Amino acid sequence: MDLGIKGRRGLVCAASRGLGLGCARALAEAGVDLVINARGKEALMAAAEAIRSDFGVSVTVVAADVTMSEGRAEVLEAAGDVDILVTNAGGPPPGMWHDWQREDFIAALDANMLTPIALMTALVPGMMERGWGRVVNITSQSVKAPIAVLGLSNSARAGLTGYVAGTARQVAGKGVTINNLLPGIHATDRADALDKAAAESQGITLDEARARHVATIPAGRYGTPDEFGAACAFLCSRHAGYIVGQNILLDGGAINVTI
Ligand code: NAD
Protein backbone atom coordinates (compact mmCIF):
# COMPACT_ATOMS: atom_id res chain seq x y z
CA MET A 1 0.00 0.00 0.00
CA ASP A 2 1.27 3.50 -0.84
CA LEU A 3 1.03 5.36 2.47
CA GLY A 4 0.86 8.69 0.64
CA ILE A 5 3.48 10.43 2.81
CA LYS A 6 6.53 10.36 0.53
CA GLY A 7 8.41 13.65 0.86
CA ARG A 8 6.81 14.56 4.22
CA ARG A 9 9.12 15.47 7.13
CA GLY A 10 9.00 13.62 10.42
CA LEU A 11 10.56 13.82 13.88
CA VAL A 12 11.00 10.55 15.77
CA CYS A 13 12.27 10.88 19.34
CA ALA A 14 14.30 8.23 21.18
CA ALA A 15 14.97 6.40 17.94
CA SER A 16 18.46 4.89 18.00
CA ARG A 17 17.04 1.45 18.84
CA GLY A 18 13.91 -0.39 19.89
CA LEU A 19 10.42 0.84 19.10
CA GLY A 20 11.47 4.38 18.13
CA LEU A 21 13.91 2.98 15.58
CA GLY A 22 11.19 0.65 14.27
CA CYS A 23 8.94 3.69 13.71
CA ALA A 24 11.73 5.69 12.06
CA ARG A 25 12.57 2.86 9.67
CA ALA A 26 8.95 2.30 8.68
CA LEU A 27 8.43 6.02 8.02
CA ALA A 28 11.64 6.11 5.98
CA GLU A 29 10.44 3.14 3.95
CA ALA A 30 7.34 5.23 3.14
CA GLY A 31 9.62 8.03 1.89
CA VAL A 32 9.54 10.37 4.92
CA ASP A 33 12.62 12.56 5.50
CA LEU A 34 13.57 12.31 9.14
CA VAL A 35 14.98 14.03 12.17
CA ILE A 36 15.85 11.36 14.73
CA ASN A 37 16.94 11.78 18.31
CA ALA A 38 18.47 9.73 21.12
CA ARG A 39 20.95 10.40 23.92
CA GLY A 40 23.93 8.37 22.68
CA LYS A 41 25.54 9.82 19.55
CA GLU A 42 27.28 6.68 18.28
CA ALA A 43 24.21 4.42 18.11
CA LEU A 44 22.16 7.29 16.69
CA MET A 45 24.65 7.97 13.88
CA ALA A 46 24.76 4.24 13.06
CA ALA A 47 20.95 4.06 12.96
CA ALA A 48 20.80 7.13 10.70
CA GLU A 49 23.39 5.77 8.30
CA ALA A 50 21.52 2.45 8.00
CA ILE A 51 18.23 4.29 7.31
CA ARG A 52 19.84 6.49 4.63
CA SER A 53 21.43 3.55 2.88
CA ASP A 54 18.34 1.30 3.11
CA PHE A 55 15.70 3.86 2.09
CA GLY A 56 17.45 6.86 0.48
CA VAL A 57 15.72 9.49 2.62
CA SER A 58 17.49 12.36 4.37
CA VAL A 59 18.13 11.84 8.09
CA THR A 60 19.26 14.55 10.52
CA VAL A 61 20.45 13.42 13.95
CA VAL A 62 20.17 15.24 17.27
CA ALA A 63 22.00 13.55 20.15
CA ALA A 64 20.25 15.01 23.20
CA ASP A 65 18.07 14.12 26.17
CA VAL A 66 14.59 14.98 24.91
CA THR A 67 13.21 14.98 28.46
CA MET A 68 15.37 17.99 29.42
CA SER A 69 14.40 21.47 28.23
CA GLU A 70 17.81 22.21 26.61
CA GLY A 71 17.82 18.88 24.79
CA ARG A 72 14.25 19.39 23.66
CA ALA A 73 15.11 22.87 22.34
CA GLU A 74 17.88 21.35 20.18
CA VAL A 75 15.51 18.69 18.88
CA LEU A 76 12.81 21.25 18.06
CA GLU A 77 15.25 23.54 16.31
CA ALA A 78 16.39 20.71 14.02
CA ALA A 79 12.82 19.55 13.49
CA GLY A 80 11.53 22.87 12.13
CA ASP A 81 8.20 22.51 10.36
CA VAL A 82 7.68 18.75 10.58
CA ASP A 83 4.47 17.13 9.37
CA ILE A 84 4.85 14.02 11.55
CA LEU A 85 5.80 13.72 15.22
CA VAL A 86 6.48 10.45 17.02
CA THR A 87 7.06 11.01 20.73
CA ASN A 88 9.05 8.51 22.74
CA ALA A 89 11.54 8.30 25.64
CA GLY A 90 12.87 5.62 27.92
CA GLY A 91 10.37 4.14 30.37
CA PRO A 92 10.53 4.64 34.16
CA PRO A 93 12.32 2.07 36.36
CA PRO A 94 10.40 -0.83 37.95
CA GLY A 95 9.70 -1.02 41.66
CA MET A 96 6.80 -1.32 44.11
CA TRP A 97 4.16 1.22 45.05
CA HIS A 98 5.75 1.98 48.43
CA ASP A 99 9.21 2.66 46.92
CA TRP A 100 8.46 5.91 45.16
CA GLN A 101 8.81 9.45 46.44
CA ARG A 102 7.66 12.73 44.93
CA GLU A 103 10.94 13.13 42.95
CA ASP A 104 10.43 9.72 41.29
CA PHE A 105 6.97 10.75 40.14
CA ILE A 106 8.22 14.13 38.91
CA ALA A 107 10.91 12.39 36.82
CA ALA A 108 8.38 9.94 35.33
CA LEU A 109 5.87 12.71 34.62
CA ASP A 110 8.60 14.81 32.99
CA ALA A 111 9.75 11.98 30.73
CA ASN A 112 6.53 10.22 29.81
CA MET A 113 3.83 12.88 30.10
CA LEU A 114 5.18 16.45 30.06
CA THR A 115 7.81 15.86 27.35
CA PRO A 116 5.34 14.57 24.73
CA ILE A 117 2.96 17.38 25.70
CA ALA A 118 5.72 19.98 25.25
CA LEU A 119 6.59 18.54 21.82
CA MET A 120 2.94 18.62 20.74
CA THR A 121 2.51 22.16 22.07
CA ALA A 122 5.50 23.27 19.99
CA LEU A 123 4.74 21.42 16.75
CA VAL A 124 0.97 20.95 16.41
CA PRO A 125 0.17 24.66 15.80
CA GLY A 126 2.36 24.64 12.66
CA MET A 127 0.70 21.44 11.46
CA MET A 128 -2.73 23.06 11.96
CA GLU A 129 -1.69 26.15 10.01
CA ARG A 130 -0.48 23.97 7.14
CA GLY A 131 -3.66 21.87 7.33
CA TRP A 132 -2.06 18.46 7.79
CA GLY A 133 -0.24 16.62 10.55
CA ARG A 134 0.17 13.32 12.34
CA VAL A 135 1.20 12.71 15.94
CA VAL A 136 1.81 9.26 17.39
CA ASN A 137 2.75 8.91 21.04
CA ILE A 138 4.42 5.67 22.09
CA THR A 139 2.83 4.89 25.47
CA SER A 140 2.25 1.41 26.95
CA GLN A 141 -0.19 -1.41 27.51
CA SER A 142 -0.12 -0.20 31.13
CA VAL A 143 -2.67 2.43 30.05
CA LYS A 144 -5.27 -0.34 29.55
CA ALA A 145 -4.25 -2.60 32.42
CA PRO A 146 -1.80 -1.63 35.18
CA ILE A 147 1.54 -3.43 35.46
CA ALA A 148 2.29 -3.91 39.18
CA VAL A 149 6.03 -3.16 39.00
CA LEU A 150 5.59 -0.17 36.69
CA GLY A 151 3.49 2.14 38.84
CA LEU A 152 5.45 5.18 37.65
CA SER A 153 4.62 4.29 34.05
CA ASN A 154 0.97 3.50 34.92
CA SER A 155 0.64 6.98 36.42
CA ALA A 156 2.52 9.14 33.92
CA ARG A 157 1.04 7.50 30.84
CA ALA A 158 -2.50 7.80 32.21
CA GLY A 159 -1.91 11.55 32.42
CA LEU A 160 -0.72 11.74 28.81
CA THR A 161 -3.66 9.62 27.67
CA GLY A 162 -6.15 12.02 29.25
CA TYR A 163 -4.43 15.00 27.64
CA VAL A 164 -4.48 13.38 24.19
CA ALA A 165 -8.14 12.41 24.52
CA GLY A 166 -9.10 16.04 24.98
CA THR A 167 -6.57 17.63 22.65
CA ALA A 168 -6.95 15.30 19.66
CA ARG A 169 -10.56 16.38 19.28
CA GLN A 170 -9.63 20.07 19.28
CA VAL A 171 -7.12 19.82 16.44
CA ALA A 172 -8.70 17.18 14.17
CA GLY A 173 -10.69 19.82 12.28
CA LYS A 174 -7.42 21.26 10.95
CA GLY A 175 -6.27 17.96 9.47
CA VAL A 176 -4.09 16.96 12.42
CA THR A 177 -4.55 13.58 14.07
CA ILE A 178 -3.13 12.59 17.46
CA ASN A 179 -3.19 8.95 18.53
CA ASN A 180 -1.36 6.72 20.98
CA LEU A 181 0.27 3.37 20.23
CA LEU A 182 0.35 1.06 23.24
CA PRO A 183 3.12 -1.53 23.09
CA GLY A 184 2.74 -4.82 24.87
CA ILE A 185 5.99 -6.72 25.25
CA HIS A 186 8.33 -6.21 22.30
CA ALA A 187 11.78 -7.70 21.86
CA THR A 188 13.92 -4.65 22.69
CA ASP A 189 16.55 -3.74 25.29
CA ARG A 190 13.72 -2.47 27.52
CA ALA A 191 12.07 -5.91 27.53
CA ASP A 192 15.46 -7.49 28.32
CA ALA A 193 15.95 -5.12 31.26
CA LEU A 194 12.48 -5.89 32.66
CA ASP A 195 13.05 -9.65 32.24
CA LYS A 196 16.39 -9.35 34.05
CA ALA A 197 14.73 -7.48 36.93
CA ALA A 198 11.99 -10.17 37.11
CA ALA A 199 14.61 -12.96 37.10
CA GLU A 200 16.50 -11.33 39.97
CA SER A 201 13.43 -10.61 42.08
CA GLN A 202 12.02 -14.14 41.58
CA GLY A 203 15.38 -15.96 41.90
CA ILE A 204 15.07 -17.62 38.47
CA THR A 205 17.15 -17.57 35.29
CA LEU A 206 16.66 -14.99 32.56
CA ASP A 207 15.44 -17.70 30.18
CA GLU A 208 12.88 -18.87 32.73
CA ALA A 209 11.67 -15.30 33.32
CA ARG A 210 11.29 -14.81 29.57
CA ALA A 211 9.47 -18.12 29.12
CA ARG A 212 7.01 -17.20 31.90
CA HIS A 213 6.45 -13.83 30.26
CA VAL A 214 5.87 -15.32 26.80
CA ALA A 215 3.40 -17.79 28.32
CA THR A 216 1.12 -14.82 29.19
CA ILE A 217 0.88 -13.73 25.54
CA PRO A 218 -1.72 -15.48 23.33
CA ALA A 219 0.45 -14.84 20.23
CA GLY A 220 3.14 -16.93 21.96
CA ARG A 221 5.98 -14.50 21.32
CA TYR A 222 7.19 -10.96 21.87
CA GLY A 223 6.36 -8.33 19.22
CA THR A 224 9.03 -6.91 16.95
CA PRO A 225 10.09 -3.28 16.41
CA ASP A 226 9.37 -3.77 12.69
CA GLU A 227 5.71 -4.65 13.16
CA PHE A 228 5.34 -1.86 15.72
CA GLY A 229 6.88 0.58 13.23
CA ALA A 230 4.51 -0.54 10.47
CA ALA A 231 1.49 0.26 12.67
CA CYS A 232 3.00 3.67 13.44
CA ALA A 233 3.61 4.43 9.76
CA PHE A 234 0.00 3.53 8.95
CA LEU A 235 -1.26 5.92 11.66
CA CYS A 236 0.92 8.59 10.03
CA SER A 237 -0.36 7.79 6.56
CA ARG A 238 -2.71 9.66 4.27
CA HIS A 239 -5.28 6.89 4.89
CA ALA A 240 -5.48 7.38 8.67
CA GLY A 241 -7.05 10.86 8.72
CA TYR A 242 -10.25 9.61 10.36
CA ILE A 243 -8.46 7.86 13.27
CA VAL A 244 -8.58 10.47 16.02
CA GLY A 245 -7.64 10.23 19.70
CA GLN A 246 -7.39 6.46 19.76
CA ASN A 247 -5.32 4.14 21.95
CA ILE A 248 -4.20 1.24 19.82
CA LEU A 249 -2.90 -1.80 21.63
CA LEU A 250 -0.18 -3.93 20.02
CA ASP A 251 0.19 -6.73 22.54
CA GLY A 252 -0.29 -10.12 20.88
CA GLY A 253 -3.61 -10.42 22.76
CA ALA A 254 -1.98 -10.22 26.20
CA ILE A 255 -4.60 -7.96 27.75
CA ASN A 256 -7.74 -10.00 28.12
CA VAL A 257 -10.49 -7.49 27.34
CA THR A 258 -13.43 -7.45 24.92
CA ILE A 259 -12.89 -3.88 23.69
P1 NAD B 1 14.70 0.73 24.35
O1 NAD B 1 15.37 0.78 25.68
O2 NAD B 1 14.93 -0.45 23.49
O3 NAD B 1 15.06 2.02 23.47
C1 NAD B 1 14.92 3.28 24.02
C2 NAD B 1 15.41 4.34 23.03
O4 NAD B 1 15.13 5.58 23.63
C3 NAD B 1 16.89 4.32 22.76
O5 NAD B 1 17.12 4.76 21.44
C4 NAD B 1 17.44 5.37 23.75
O6 NAD B 1 18.64 5.94 23.31
C5 NAD B 1 16.32 6.37 23.68
N1 NAD B 1 16.13 7.20 24.86
C6 NAD B 1 15.87 6.79 26.12
N2 NAD B 1 15.72 7.85 26.93
C7 NAD B 1 15.89 8.96 26.14
C8 NAD B 1 15.86 10.34 26.40
N3 NAD B 1 15.64 10.81 27.64
N4 NAD B 1 16.08 11.21 25.37
C9 NAD B 1 16.32 10.74 24.14
N5 NAD B 1 16.35 9.42 23.83
C10 NAD B 1 16.14 8.55 24.84
O7 NAD B 1 13.13 0.94 24.68
P2 NAD B 1 11.87 0.47 23.84
O8 NAD B 1 11.54 -0.94 24.19
O9 NAD B 1 12.01 0.85 22.44
O10 NAD B 1 10.72 1.33 24.55
C11 NAD B 1 10.31 2.60 24.07
C12 NAD B 1 9.20 3.09 24.98
O11 NAD B 1 8.11 2.16 24.95
C13 NAD B 1 9.62 3.22 26.46
O12 NAD B 1 9.01 4.34 27.03
C14 NAD B 1 9.08 1.95 27.07
O13 NAD B 1 8.82 2.08 28.45
C15 NAD B 1 7.80 1.76 26.27
N6 NAD B 1 7.34 0.37 26.29
C16 NAD B 1 8.13 -0.62 25.80
C17 NAD B 1 7.67 -1.92 25.85
C18 NAD B 1 8.52 -3.07 25.33
O14 NAD B 1 8.15 -4.22 25.53
N7 NAD B 1 9.61 -2.86 24.64
C19 NAD B 1 6.41 -2.22 26.40
C20 NAD B 1 5.63 -1.17 26.89
C21 NAD B 1 6.12 0.13 26.83
Coordinates of all heavy atoms in Angstrom, one line a residue, residues 63-112:
A63 N 21.7 14.3 19.0 CA 22.0 13.6 20.2 C 21.7 14.4 21.4 O 22.5 15.4 21.6 CB 23.5 13.1 20.1
A64 N 20.6 14.2 22.1 CA 20.3 15.0 23.2 C 19.2 14.3 24.0 O 18.5 13.4 23.5 CB 19.6 16.3 22.7
D65 N 19.1 14.7 25.3 CA 18.1 14.1 26.2 C 16.8 14.9 25.9 O 16.7 16.1 26.4 CB 18.5 14.2 27.6 CG 17.6 13.6 28.6 OD1 16.4 13.4 28.2 OD2 18.0 13.2 29.7
V66 N 15.8 14.3 25.3 CA 14.6 15.0 24.9 C 13.7 15.3 26.1 O 12.8 16.1 26.0 CB 13.8 14.2 23.8 CG1 13.1 12.9 24.5 CG2 12.8 15.0 23.1
T67 N 14.0 14.7 27.3 CA 13.2 15.0 28.5 C 13.7 16.2 29.2 O 13.1 16.6 30.2 CB 13.2 13.8 29.4 OG1 14.5 13.6 30.0 CG2 12.7 12.5 28.7
M68 N 14.8 16.8 28.8 CA 15.4 18.0 29.4 C 15.1 19.2 28.5 O 15.2 19.0 27.3 CB 16.9 17.9 29.6 CG 17.3 16.6 30.4 SD 16.7 16.6 32.1 CE 17.8 17.8 32.8
S69 N 14.8 20.4 29.1 CA 14.4 21.5 28.2 C 15.5 21.9 27.2 O 15.1 22.2 26.1 CB 13.9 22.7 29.0 OG 14.9 23.0 30.0
E70 N 16.8 21.8 27.6 CA 17.8 22.2 26.6 C 17.8 21.2 25.5 O 18.0 21.6 24.3 CB 19.2 22.3 27.2 CG 19.3 23.0 28.6 CD 18.9 22.1 29.7 OE1 19.6 21.0 30.0 OE2 17.9 22.4 30.4
G71 N 17.8 19.9 25.8 CA 17.8 18.9 24.8 C 16.6 19.0 23.9 O 16.8 18.9 22.6
R72 N 15.5 19.3 24.5 CA 14.2 19.4 23.7 C 14.3 20.6 22.7 O 13.9 20.5 21.6 CB 13.1 19.5 24.6 CG 11.8 19.1 23.9 CD 10.7 18.7 25.0 NE 10.6 19.7 26.0 CZ 10.9 19.4 27.3 NH1 11.2 18.2 27.7 NH2 10.7 20.3 28.3
A73 N 15.0 21.7 23.2 CA 15.1 22.9 22.3 C 16.0 22.5 21.1 O 15.7 22.9 20.0 CB 15.7 24.0 23.1
E74 N 17.0 21.8 21.3 CA 17.9 21.4 20.2 C 17.1 20.5 19.2 O 17.2 20.7 18.0 CB 19.1 20.5 20.7 CG 20.2 21.3 21.3 CD 21.3 20.3 21.8 OE1 21.7 19.5 21.0 OE2 21.6 20.4 23.0
V75 N 16.3 19.6 19.7 CA 15.5 18.7 18.9 C 14.5 19.5 18.1 O 14.4 19.3 16.9 CB 14.8 17.6 19.7 CG1 13.8 16.8 18.9 CG2 15.8 16.7 20.4
L76 N 13.8 20.5 18.7 CA 12.8 21.2 18.1 C 13.4 22.2 17.0 O 12.8 22.4 15.9 CB 12.0 22.1 19.1 CG 11.0 21.2 19.9 CD1 10.5 22.0 21.1 CD2 9.9 20.7 19.0
E77 N 14.6 22.7 17.3 CA 15.3 23.5 16.3 C 15.6 22.8 15.0 O 15.3 23.2 13.9 CB 16.5 24.1 16.9 CG 17.1 25.2 15.9 CD 18.3 25.9 16.5 OE1 18.5 25.8 17.7 OE2 18.9 26.6 15.6
A78 N 16.1 21.5 15.2 CA 16.4 20.7 14.0 C 15.1 20.3 13.3 O 15.1 20.1 12.1 CB 17.2 19.5 14.4
A79 N 14.1 20.1 14.1 CA 12.8 19.6 13.5 C 12.2 20.6 12.6 O 11.6 20.2 11.5 CB 11.8 19.2 14.6
G80 N 12.2 21.8 13.0 CA 11.5 22.9 12.1 C 10.1 22.5 11.9 O 9.4 22.2 12.9
D81 N 9.6 22.7 10.7 CA 8.2 22.5 10.4 C 7.9 21.1 10.0 O 7.6 20.8 8.8 CB 7.8 23.4 9.2 CG 7.7 24.9 9.6 OD1 7.6 25.1 10.8 OD2 7.8 25.7 8.7
V82 N 8.0 20.1 10.9 CA 7.7 18.7 10.6 C 6.2 18.5 10.4 O 5.3 19.2 11.0 CB 8.3 17.7 11.6 CG1 9.8 17.6 11.5 CG2 7.8 18.1 13.0
D83 N 5.9 17.5 9.6 CA 4.5 17.1 9.4 C 4.1 16.0 10.3 O 2.9 15.7 10.5 CB 4.3 16.6 7.9 CG 4.9 17.6 6.9 OD1 4.4 18.7 6.8 OD2 5.8 17.2 6.2
I84 N 5.1 15.2 10.8 CA 4.8 14.0 11.5 C 5.7 14.1 12.8 O 6.9 14.4 12.7 CB 5.2 12.8 10.7 CG1 4.3 12.6 9.5 CG2 5.3 11.5 11.6 CD1 4.7 11.6 8.5
L85 N 5.1 13.8 13.9 CA 5.8 13.7 15.2 C 5.5 12.4 15.9 O 4.4 12.0 16.1 CB 5.3 14.9 16.1 CG 5.7 14.7 17.6 CD1 7.2 14.9 17.8 CD2 4.9 15.8 18.4
V86 N 6.6 11.7 16.2 CA 6.5 10.4 17.0 C 7.2 10.7 18.3 O 8.4 10.9 18.3 CB 7.1 9.2 16.3 CG1 6.9 8.0 17.2 CG2 6.4 9.0 14.9
T87 N 6.4 10.8 19.4 CA 7.1 11.0 20.7 C 7.4 9.7 21.4 O 6.7 8.7 21.3 CB 6.2 11.8 21.7 OG1 5.1 11.0 22.2 CG2 5.6 13.0 21.0
N88 N 8.6 9.7 22.1 CA 9.1 8.5 22.7 C 10.2 8.9 23.7 O 10.8 9.9 23.5 CB 9.6 7.5 21.7 CG 10.0 6.2 22.2 OD1 9.5 5.7 23.3 ND2 10.9 5.5 21.6
A89 N 10.4 8.1 24.7 CA 11.5 8.3 25.6 C 11.6 7.0 26.4 O 10.7 6.2 26.3 CB 11.3 9.5 26.6
G90 N 12.7 6.8 27.1 CA 12.9 5.6 27.9 C 11.8 5.5 29.0 O 11.2 6.6 29.4
G91 N 11.4 4.3 29.4 CA 10.4 4.1 30.4 C 10.9 4.2 31.8 O 12.1 4.1 32.0
P92 N 10.1 4.5 32.8 CA 10.5 4.6 34.2 C 11.0 3.3 34.7 O 10.6 2.2 34.2 CB 9.3 5.1 34.9 CG 8.3 5.4 33.9 CD 8.6 4.7 32.6
P93 N 11.8 3.3 35.8 CA 12.3 2.1 36.4 C 11.2 1.3 37.1 O 10.2 1.9 37.6 CB 13.4 2.5 37.4 CG 13.0 3.9 37.7 CD 12.3 4.5 36.5
P94 N 11.4 0.0 37.2 CA 10.4 -0.8 37.9 C 10.6 -0.7 39.5 O 11.6 -0.1 39.9 CB 10.7 -2.3 37.5 CG 12.1 -2.3 37.1 CD 12.4 -0.9 36.6
G95 N 9.6 -1.1 40.2 CA 9.7 -1.0 41.7 C 8.3 -1.3 42.2 O 7.5 -1.8 41.5
M96 N 8.1 -1.1 43.5 CA 6.8 -1.3 44.1 C 6.2 0.0 44.6 O 6.9 1.0 44.8 CB 6.9 -2.3 45.3 CG 7.1 -3.8 44.7 SD 6.0 -4.3 43.4 CE 4.4 -4.4 44.2
W97 N 4.9 0.0 44.8 CA 4.2 1.2 45.1 C 4.7 2.0 46.2 O 4.7 3.2 46.3 CB 2.7 0.9 45.2 CG 2.4 0.0 46.4 CD1 2.3 -1.3 46.4 CD2 2.1 0.4 47.7 NE1 2.1 -1.8 47.6 CE2 1.9 -0.8 48.5 CE3 2.0 1.6 48.4 CZ2 1.6 -0.7 49.9 CZ3 1.7 1.7 49.8 CH2 1.5 0.5 50.5
H98 N 5.3 1.3 47.2 CA 5.8 2.0 48.4 C 7.2 2.5 48.3 O 7.7 3.2 49.2 CB 5.7 1.1 49.7 CG 6.1 -0.4 49.3 ND1 7.4 -0.7 49.2 CD2 5.4 -1.5 49.1 CE1 7.5 -2.0 48.9 NE2 6.2 -2.5 48.8
D99 N 7.8 2.2 47.1 CA 9.2 2.7 46.9 C 9.3 4.1 46.5 O 10.4 4.7 46.7 CB 9.9 1.9 45.8 CG 10.0 0.4 46.1 OD1 10.0 0.1 47.3 OD2 10.2 -0.4 45.2
W100 N 8.3 4.7 45.9 CA 8.5 5.9 45.2 C 8.1 7.1 46.0 O 7.1 7.2 46.7 CB 7.6 5.9 43.9 CG 8.0 4.8 43.0 CD1 9.3 4.5 42.6 CD2 7.1 3.7 42.5 NE1 9.2 3.3 41.8 CE2 7.9 2.9 41.7 CE3 5.8 3.5 42.5 CZ2 7.4 1.8 41.0 CZ3 5.3 2.4 41.9 CH2 6.1 1.5 41.1
Q101 N 9.0 8.2 45.8 CA 8.8 9.5 46.4 C 8.4 10.5 45.4 O 8.4 10.2 44.2 CB 10.1 9.9 47.1 CG 10.7 8.9 48.1 CD 9.7 8.5 49.2 OE1 9.0 9.4 49.7 NE2 9.6 7.2 49.5
R102 N 8.1 11.7 45.8 CA 7.7 12.7 44.9 C 8.6 12.9 43.7 O 8.2 13.0 42.6 CB 7.6 14.0 45.7 CG 7.2 15.2 44.9 CD 7.1 16.5 45.8 NE 7.2 17.7 44.9 CZ 6.2 18.1 44.2 NH1 5.1 17.5 44.3 NH2 6.4 19.2 43.4
E103 N 10.0 12.9 44.0 CA 10.9 13.1 42.9 C 10.8 12.0 41.9 O 11.1 12.3 40.7 CB 12.4 13.1 43.5 CG 12.7 14.1 44.6 CD 12.0 13.7 45.9 OE1 12.2 12.6 46.4 OE2 11.3 14.5 46.5
D104 N 10.5 10.8 42.3 CA 10.4 9.7 41.3 C 9.2 10.0 40.4 O 9.3 9.7 39.2 CB 10.3 8.4 42.0 CG 11.4 8.1 42.9 OD1 12.6 8.1 42.5 OD2 11.2 7.9 44.1
F105 N 8.1 10.4 41.0 CA 7.0 10.8 40.1 C 7.2 11.9 39.2 O 6.8 11.9 38.1 CB 5.7 11.0 41.0 CG 5.1 9.8 41.6 CD1 5.4 9.3 42.8 CD2 4.3 9.0 40.8 CE1 4.9 8.1 43.3 CE2 3.8 7.8 41.2 CZ 4.1 7.4 42.5
I106 N 7.9 13.0 39.7 CA 8.2 14.1 38.9 C 9.1 13.7 37.7 O 8.8 14.1 36.6 CB 9.0 15.2 39.7 CG1 8.1 15.7 40.9 CG2 9.4 16.4 38.8 CD1 6.9 16.5 40.5
A107 N 10.1 12.8 37.9 CA 10.9 12.4 36.8 C 10.1 11.6 35.8 O 10.2 11.8 34.6 CB 12.1 11.5 37.3
A108 N 9.2 10.7 36.3 CA 8.4 9.9 35.3 C 7.4 10.8 34.6 O 7.2 10.7 33.4 CB 7.6 8.9 36.1
L109 N 6.8 11.8 35.3 CA 5.9 12.7 34.6 C 6.6 13.6 33.6 O 6.1 13.8 32.5 CB 5.2 13.6 35.6 CG 4.2 12.9 36.6 CD1 3.8 13.9 37.7 CD2 3.0 12.4 35.9
D110 N 7.8 14.0 33.9 CA 8.6 14.8 33.0 C 8.9 14.0 31.7 O 8.7 14.5 30.6 CB 9.9 15.2 33.6 CG 9.9 16.6 34.2 OD1 9.0 17.4 33.7 OD2 10.8 16.9 35.0
A111 N 9.3 12.8 31.9 CA 9.8 12.0 30.7 C 8.6 11.5 29.9 O 8.6 11.6 28.7 CB 10.6 10.8 31.2
N112 N 7.6 11.0 30.5 CA 6.5 10.2 29.8 C 5.2 10.9 29.7 O 4.2 10.4 29.1 CB 6.4 8.8 30.4 CG 7.7 8.0 30.4 OD1 8.2 7.7 31.4 ND2 8.2 7.8 29.2

